[in-house]
């Protein structure tokens, strides 16, 4: 689209905005009427570990949201000499799961507990047995039941129980709703009815009946909507929250708020049965749309696409945080040596040199666990580097080891899907920061899962792009389903890059994962003693 047409779209509010709150960055992505990215914004933030809880303060959320939107607004001003005043449609996405419990005045009752917390083991185990359905520790229902088991006083005062995306949506629109994909990380979903599983709702209410709470579970959960539904409009209060300078007008249409897993599927056009995608950043997860019932595995979540199809999800709490730490160390050293480098240059060089390393990293092994990891049954983490005395300890092997470590737990879960459940995956679409360096992250992923990996042009934009597409779809969903909309109106002419698995890479990763599993006791001992 030429510049004058983009300016017309902005002025006529024929735009769609997606905002996603990830673990370390809040990103905004603005699309024109042709679903092309025309502006973006971002803001860096970090979770806090307070009193044993991984959390973000409400001030962090509000200020981060405003800073990200201002960054987008500045980008529009710089590119098109326009003040962004009206937006056609908006969608909010965020990290799935976690626990935001609000009272009748929508005030927070206790610290926001993010997906990263592994403090609900007792509750998750009991609910998994009760439902005969895997309930991971990070799910909202596990946090709620653990709070009940802990006899936390606030539970009786809960009016709203929600996720981060649905909370922000509530603040911007006054609509207490949630997209079905995000909802599926709160409580199990009935994919036929496109709503919470009623049998399991009844079982939970019976389980806690003796507690005497005034609420039933469904009463405090957000209403479930599917992709394409209209989920309210930007309120005057919401416009002021997003843009304190007051330039943004109220009235923009909202899509149902979604989780980062669902927006990743949309961003990679992986919403049809048999398709799959991998998102890799601070955490990493694979989403495979399935057409058959699977056994209960603690390593596999059953969630849904944004339009309600069942999805097998392998979710890993830890991915790039340890890589980021090492990259920062090398960057610091380069500055000490008087070198003028951009941080992006450091990542490109380090990722690129990993391809020169030994296929199995030759005697090096890392555990990248900054927090607990459900796939390997750990409630805490200790980043750990191991090497044998005779290891070939050079930079290429060191970085190859770090990249394989980032995907190791994902591989363990994916092996269950492909080898035990016999799920067939034709190819995986990849997105997120791990894949920004061309062909490197994709090549390591292809080795991990022995499957072709495809990346799209906007792979690095990730979930904010996917959420913007869902916002656009809410404006244009009449008589077309989500998969067809993405195929025909978004990805028909989008360029892709494809990496097929290399036999030696696959064999090297398989050798690496054997050592990884065998030495997991070292990580457990480190947690226990350090």
């Amino acid at each position: 689209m030429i510049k004058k047409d983009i300016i017309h779209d902005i002025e006529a509010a024929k735009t769609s905005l997606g905002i996603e709150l990830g673990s370390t960055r809040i990103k905004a992505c603005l699309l024109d009427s042709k679903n092309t990215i025309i502006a973006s914004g971002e803001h860096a933030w970090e979770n806090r570990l307070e009193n044993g809880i991984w959390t973000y303060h409400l001030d962090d959320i509000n200020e981060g949201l405003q800073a990200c939107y201002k960054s987008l607004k500045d980008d529009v001003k710089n590119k098109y000499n326009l003040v962004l005043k009206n937006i056609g449609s908006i969608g909010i996405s965020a990290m799935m799961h976690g626990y935001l419990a609000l009272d009748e005045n929508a005030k927070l009752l206790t610290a926001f507990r993010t997906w990263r917390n592994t403090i609900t083991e007792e509750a998750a185990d009991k609910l998994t047995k009760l439902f005969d359905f895997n309930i991971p520790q990070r799910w909202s229902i596990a946090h709620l039941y653990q709070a009940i088991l802990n006899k936390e006083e606030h539970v009786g005062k809960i009016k709203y129980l929600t996720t981060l995306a649905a909370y922000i949506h509530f603040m911007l629109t006054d609509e207490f709703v949630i997209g079905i994909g995000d909802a599926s990380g709160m409580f199990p979903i009935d994919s036929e009815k496109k709503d919470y599983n009623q049998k399991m709702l009844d079982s939970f209410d019976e389980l806690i009946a003796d507690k005497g709470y005034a609420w039933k579970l469904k009463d405090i959960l957000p209403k479930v909507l599917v992709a394409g539904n209209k989920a309210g409009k930007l309120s005057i209060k919401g416009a002021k929250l997003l843009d304190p300078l007051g330039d943004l007008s109220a009235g923009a249409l909202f899509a149902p708020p979604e989780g980062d897993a669902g927006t990743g599927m949309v961003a990679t056009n992986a919403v049809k049965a048999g398709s799959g995608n991998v998102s890799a950043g601070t955490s990493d997860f694979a989403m495979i749309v399935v057409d058959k019932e699977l056994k209960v595995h603690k390593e596999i979540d059953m969630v849904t696409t944004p339009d309600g199809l069942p999805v097998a999800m392998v979710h890993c709490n830890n991915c790039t945080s340890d890589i980021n730490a090492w990259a920062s160390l090398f960057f610091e050293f380069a500055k000490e040596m008087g070198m003028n480098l951009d941080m992006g240059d450091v990542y490109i060089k380090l990722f690129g040199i990993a391809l020169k390393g030994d296929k199995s990293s030759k005697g090096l092994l890392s555990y990248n666990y900054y927090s607990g990891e459900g796939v390997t049954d750990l409630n805490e983490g200790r980043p750990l580097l191991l090497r044998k005395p005779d290891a070939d300890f050079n930079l290429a092997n060191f970085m190859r080891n770090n990249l394989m470590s980032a995907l190791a737990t994902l591989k363990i879960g994916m092996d269950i899907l492909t080898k035990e459940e016999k799920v067939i995956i034709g190819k995986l679409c990849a997105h997120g920061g791990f894949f920004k360096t061309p062909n490197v992250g994709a090549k390591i992923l292809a080795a991990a899962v022995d499957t072709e990996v495809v990346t799209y042009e906007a792979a690095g934009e990730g979930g904010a792009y996917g959420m913007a597409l869902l916002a656009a779809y809410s404006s244009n969903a009449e008589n077309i389903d989500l998969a067809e909309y993405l195929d025909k109106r978004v990805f028909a002419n989008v360029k892709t890059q494809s990496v097929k698995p290399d036999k030696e890479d696959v064999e090297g990763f398989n050798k690496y994962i054997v050592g990884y599993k065998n030495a997991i006791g070292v990580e457990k001992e480190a947690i226990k003693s350090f």
Side-chain angles (χ1 to χ4, degrees):
M1 205 178 228
I2 60 178
K3 189 171 182 178
K4 70 178 182 66
D5 292 329
I6 294 173
I7 290 172
H8 174 267
D9 278 358
I10 295 171
E11 292 179 328
K14 293 183 177 180
T15 51
S16 301
L17 171 63
I19 299 176
E20 181 161 283
L21 292 90
S23 301
T24 58
R25 283 196 304 168
I26 304 173
K27 294 188 67 177
C29 185
L30 189 69
L31 307 183
D32 63 18
S33 59
K34 301 295 185 184
N35 293 317
T36 301
I37 299 170
I38 56 173
S40 60
E42 66 178 316
H43 171 72
W45 72 336
E46 273 291 350
N47 53 190
R48 310 161 182 250
L49 183 61
E50 295 182 343
N51 302 315
I53 302 291
W54 289 103
T55 188
Y56 299 86
H57 293 182
L58 290 189
D59 286 346
D60 298 334
I61 296 168
N62 293 337
E63 292 168 9
L65 192 65
Q66 291 166 0
C68 180
Y69 181 79
K70 184 181 184 302
S71 174
L72 171 83
K73 192 175 164 185
D74 290 345
D75 195 35
V76 171
K77 178 68 175 176
N78 291 336
K79 287 178 176 175
Y80 311 109
N81 196 30
L82 290 174
V83 175
L84 189 58
K85 295 181 178 180
N86 294 285
I87 299 168
S89 56
I90 303 176
I92 299 296
S93 174
M95 302 164 277
M96 285 178 71
H97 318 297
Y99 185 76
L100 274 158
L102 312 175
D103 67 12
E104 59 184 7
N105 298 312
K107 300 298 183 184
L108 198 61
L109 288 166
T110 188
F112 167 35
R113 301 168 189 181
T114 76
W115 60 271
R116 200 166 201 170
N117 288 287
T118 47
I119 55 175
T120 66
E121 184 175 17
E122 180 185 4
D125 287 347
K126 287 182 176 179
L127 291 176
T128 296
K129 290 174 184 174
L130 177 69
F131 298 151
D132 192 27
F133 185 98
N134 183 39
I135 302 294
Q137 289 200 51
R138 64 187 174 278
W139 279 34
S140 305
I141 189 60
H143 281 281
L144 174 63
Y145 189 43
Q146 191 65 55
I148 292 171
L149 293 174
N150 294 346
K151 299 180 180 179
E152 296 185 40
E153 184 182 352
H154 78 270
V155 176
K157 302 174 186 176
I158 295 175
K159 176 67 175 178
Y160 307 102
L161 177 63
T162 189
T163 63
L164 180 56
Y167 168 77
I168 294 171
H169 183 99
F170 191 21
M171 295 300 102
L172 296 176
T173 67
D174 295 319
E175 298 285 342
F176 190 57
V177 299
I178 191 169
I180 194 168
D182 203 17
S184 69
M186 293 192 77
F187 192 86
I189 291 291
D190 183 331
S191 284
E192 289 187 8
K193 295 182 178 179
K194 303 290 193 290
D195 204 349
Y196 303 112
N197 186 296
Q198 187 61 52
K199 182 180 177 182
M200 295 182 192
L201 286 171
D202 293 340
S203 295
F204 185 81
D205 286 336
E206 288 176 23
L207 178 67
I208 65 167
D210 63 335
K211 306 299 181 185
Y213 300 129
W215 48 262
K216 297 288 187 183
L217 181 57
K218 193 168 186 180
D219 297 336
I220 64 174
L221 293 174
K223 179 183 177 182
V224 176
L225 300 177
V226 297
N229 288 165
K230 293 173 172 50
K233 293 186 176 182
L234 181 65
S235 67
I236 294 173
K237 180 184 72 174
K240 192 70 174 176
L241 173 61
L242 202 55
D243 183 11
L245 292 178
D247 294 318
L248 180 62
S249 297
L253 173 69
F254 264 75
E258 263 300 345
D260 51 356
T263 56
M265 300 187 82
V266 173
T268 54
N269 193 23
V271 298
K272 296 186 290 290
S275 64
N277 87 309
V278 169
S279 172
T282 303
S283 64
D284 60 336
F285 45 84
M287 307 281 286
I288 313 299
V289 188
V290 296
D291 57 3
K292 67 175 185 176
E293 192 171 328
L294 306 181
K295 297 174 187 173
V296 177
H297 299 276
K298 71 177 182 64
E299 300 90 349
I300 310 293
D301 299 16
M302 290 306 301
V303 292
T304 78
T305 63
D307 55 348
L309 295 179
V311 174
M313 177 184 189
V314 179
H315 185 286
C316 308
N317 286 357
N318 302 278
C319 184
T320 60
S321 293
D322 206 31
I323 293 172
N324 295 341
W326 285 111
S328 294
L329 189 70
F330 288 123
F331 181 66
E332 182 182 348
F333 177 73
K335 284 175 63 178
E336 289 292 329
M337 293 296 293
M339 301 173 68
N340 185 21
L341 289 178
D342 180 84
M343 194 65 189
D345 296 332
V346 176
Y347 280 107
I348 290 171
K349 180 62 71 174
L350 290 176
F351 269 62
I353 202 167
L355 296 186
K356 300 178 181 179
D358 181 81
K359 304 296 185 182
S360 66
S361 78
K362 206 125 181 184
L364 302 180
L365 185 63
S366 286
Y367 294 95
N368 64 335
Y369 297 158
Y370 272 62
S371 61
E373 189 59 76
V375 172
T376 47
D377 201 24
L378 297 171
N379 289 336
E380 293 183 53
R382 300 290 186 274
L384 195 63
L385 170 65
L386 304 175
R387 59 189 177 104
K388 294 180 178 178
D390 60 348
D392 194 354
F393 190 46
N394 58 42
L395 185 59
N397 286 344
F398 172 75
M399 284 309 302
R400 180 88 179 197
N401 159 66
N402 274 294
L403 297 190
M404 289 195 291
S405 173
L407 300 181
T409 42
L410 185 77
K411 174 175 173 57
I412 291 170
M414 289 294 288
D415 283 349
I416 293 170
L417 275 181
T418 57
K419 295 176 181 178
E420 294 184 31
E421 292 289 350
K422 309 299 181 187
V423 172
I424 297 173
I425 306 167
K427 63 182 178 182
L428 283 173
C429 299
H431 79 111
F434 189 80
F435 304 106
K436 270 196 168 184
T437 304
N439 291 330
V440 180
K443 186 173 177 65
I444 301 298
L445 177 60
V449 295
D450 195 10
T451 299
E452 180 183 2
V453 173
V454 175
T455 53
Y456 287 93
E457 273 185 323
E461 296 300 327
Y465 172 58
M467 192 65 243
L469 291 175
L470 287 172
Y473 179 58
S474 286
S475 299
N476 301 281
E478 294 82 3
N479 304 315
I480 186 169
D481 65 26
L482 179 61
E484 186 180 4
Y485 179 82
L486 295 176
D487 277 343
K488 292 183 176 179
R489 301 191 189 179
V490 179
F491 291 99
N493 298 308
V494 173
K495 294 179 182 177
T496 62
Q497 289 185 322
S498 177
V499 175
K500 293 186 177 179
D502 175 85
K503 182 181 177 182
E504 291 184 2
D505 286 346
V506 173
E507 290 173 352
F509 210 127
N510 285 338
K511 182 178 178 181
Y512 180 85
I513 208 69
V514 170
Y516 189 93
K517 290 178 179 178
N518 288 342
I520 195 72
V522 179
E523 173 69 15
K524 291 179 179 178
E525 189 59 36
I527 293 167
K528 190 187 305 180
S529 57
F530 180 70

